[in-house]
Amino acid sequence: MKKTIQVSNQGATLDTSRRNFLKLSGIGIAVAGLTLIGCDDDNFDYMQNNGIFDLGKGDVGVLNYAYALEQLEADFYTKVVNNFYSGISNAEKEVFTDLYHHEVIHRDFFKAAISGVTDNVLPALEFQYPNVNFNDRNSVLATAKALEDTGVAAYNAAGKYISNPAYLVIAGKIVSVEARHASAIRDLINPGTAAFSGDDVINANGLDVAKEPKDIVMAAGGFIKTPFTWKEQGIN
C-alpha cells in the first residue's frame, strides 16, 4: 500500500527577509509529497485493555515515538512564545519563535505521515512542567537545552530501527534541524564558547550522542502526563 502525504507549511512560514541559520527555508519541500509505504499493522492491538496506547511495531512504532517527542517540544515552545520570560531580548524572542515554528511543523508532519499509513496514531499527549519557571530565563533555557539534546540523541539511536529508506531520509533531515536548535540554545546559555558542541554531547570520535528509547523515555517521562508503552522496545 502506498499513500502520498501532502504536508504544507502554509501559515507557519517565517519572515523571508531574515537570514539567520534557523530560517525555515523550504522545509515544505522536505516533507511534501513524500510517498509513504504502509506497514502491516492490522493484527496489532495498539490500544490495550487498560486503555494505554502502545506505540506499535516496526516503522510505525518509531514514527509514533518521534511524534511523541515532537509533541513535547512543540508544547514547550508554544508555552514559551505565548508568555516570554521577563527581560527577554529581541534576539532571544527571534530564536524561540523560530524553534516554535519548526517544532510545530515537525509535530504536524509526523501526525500526517502516520495517519497516512495506519489508523493507530498516537493521541495528543498531555504534558506537565513541575520544575520549570516559564518567567525565568535560566529555567527556560535549561529546559530547552535538555529537550533539544534529548531529541537529537533520540533520533540518532532510532535510525537503526527504521526499515523504510524514505523515513530514514526524513529523520536525517529533522535531526539535523534539531541539532541546530540544540546548538543555538547552548550558545544562548554560554555565548561565544565551544559549548555549542560540548564534550557532553560530542564524543572523542566527533560523533553526536545516541540514546536508546528506554533512556529517552526515562529522561522525558517527567514531562509526559499521558501514559503510553512501546512493548517492542521494552517500555511498559
Side-chain angles (χ1 to χ4, degrees):
M1 175 181 67
K2 290 186 178 180
K3 298 186 180 182
T4 301
I5 310 301
Q6 298 293 337
V7 181
S8 171
N9 63 344
Q10 184 176 2
T13 306
L14 302 182
D15 183 349
T16 55
S17 68
R18 299 204 336 242
R19 299 187 180 278
N20 63 61
F21 79 101
L22 287 171
K23 185 179 175 184
L24 186 58
S25 73
I27 194 170
I29 296 173
V31 300
L34 177 66
T35 298
L36 301 178
I37 301 173
C39 302
D40 183 11
D41 58 301
D42 293 338
N43 296 321
F44 189 82
D45 183 12
Y46 286 78
M47 192 60 71
Q48 302 164 73
N49 291 334
N50 58 6
I52 296 177
F53 187 90
D54 188 88
L55 299 185
K57 295 180 179 179
D59 287 350
V60 168
V62 179
L63 291 176
N64 271 319
Y65 171 57
Y67 180 37
L69 297 175
E70 297 297 350
Q71 283 193 51
L72 170 57
E73 290 185 305
D75 184 80
F76 172 74
Y77 287 117
T78 297
K79 286 179 169 56
V80 172
V81 300
N82 281 338
N83 185 26
F84 285 120
Y85 51 77
S86 178
I88 189 171
S89 68
N90 287 333
E92 290 176 355
K93 284 184 180 180
E94 188 173 287
V95 169
F96 279 117
T97 300
D98 281 352
L99 269 59
Y100 158 74
H101 282 298
H102 292 178
E103 301 299 1
V104 167
I105 288 175
H106 292 171
R107 179 199 65 196
D108 292 349
F109 166 70
F110 276 109
K111 183 177 181 179
I114 302 166
S115 299
V117 298
T118 179
D119 293 330
N120 297 294
V121 184
L122 178 70
L125 301 176
E126 186 178 358
F127 302 100
Q128 60 187 0
Y129 305 92
N131 299 313
V132 181
N133 179 354
F134 282 94
N135 196 44
D136 180 77
R137 180 180 187 270
N138 291 335
S139 182
V140 170
L141 287 175
T143 306
K145 174 177 174 288
L147 291 177
E148 296 296 351
D149 288 348
T150 298
V152 174
Y155 276 99
N156 287 343
K160 62 179 177 289
Y161 299 119
I162 299 174
S163 59
N164 184 346
Y167 297 154
L168 191 59
V169 168
I170 290 299
K173 290 182 177 181
I174 291 177
V175 72
S176 65
V177 176
E178 298 291 351
R180 291 172 185 259
H181 293 178
S183 294
I185 293 297
R186 283 167 165 263
D187 191 62
L188 289 179
I189 296 172
N190 294 294
T193 71
F196 74 94
S197 59
D199 56 13
D200 58 327
V201 288
I202 307 295
N203 66 24
N205 295 317
L207 300 178
D208 216 323
V209 169
K211 293 184 179 180
E212 290 297 313
K214 267 189 173 182
D215 298 321
I216 294 297
V217 171
M218 183 177 297
F223 297 114
I224 303 173
K225 290 183 68 174
T226 309
F228 62 80
T229 63
W230 192 4
K231 292 182 178 179
E232 187 175 63
Q233 290 293 330
I235 298 171
N236 298 304

